[in-house]
Amino acid sequence: QINEQVSVTSVGFKKNLSVYPRRMEFRGITYNFIDAGLRCLLHCGSNIAEFFTLTDGQNDFHIKLDPANNIWTLLSISADATV
C-alpha cells in the first residue's frame, strides 16, 4: 500500500470521453502506461471516485481519482507476473 498523491502529467480519453491516465510522476520517476487499463466508478452518496488498474509493461498500478478535487492517488504498485 502506497496511498500517496501523484501527478498525472498526461491523460487520454475513451470513446465515451471518460478520462484515463497515460503518464504519471511518482517520487521523481515518470511512468508511461501502455493502455487505458481497467476502470471502476464508485458512488457513495454524492461522492464519486474512479479506480484504475494500469500497466507500464513491467508493473501494475492501482490509482484513484477524486474527480471533484482532481486529485490522483497512487494506491499500490505490484510487479507484473507476465514479465
Side-chain angles (χ1 to χ4, degrees):
Q1 290 278 350
I2 295 173
N3 205 30
E4 288 184 33
Q5 188 172 335
V6 292
S7 177
V8 172
T9 57
S10 178
V11 296
F13 296 92
K14 293 186 179 183
K15 289 183 182 180
N16 64 359
L17 298 181
S18 62
V19 68
Y20 65 93
R22 294 192 54 127
R23 185 174 51 234
M24 170 190 78
E25 292 182 10
F26 174 63
R27 296 182 181 169
I29 300 172
T30 300
Y31 298 94
N32 293 295
F33 303 118
I34 59 176
D35 61 21
L38 299 173
R39 174 181 169 259
C40 176
L41 187 64
L42 181 67
H43 292 266
C44 184
S46 62
N47 298 325
I48 298 173
E50 295 181 60
F51 295 87
F52 299 87
T53 300
L54 303 149
T55 185
D56 66 354
Q58 296 181 13
N59 298 296
D60 294 326
F61 300 81
H62 295 97
I63 301 173
K64 179 179 85 170
L65 170 62
D66 173 1
N69 299 306
N70 198 30
I71 295 174
W72 295 88
T73 304
L74 178 60
L75 303 174
S76 66
I77 301 174
S78 58
D80 189 349
T82 61
V83 174

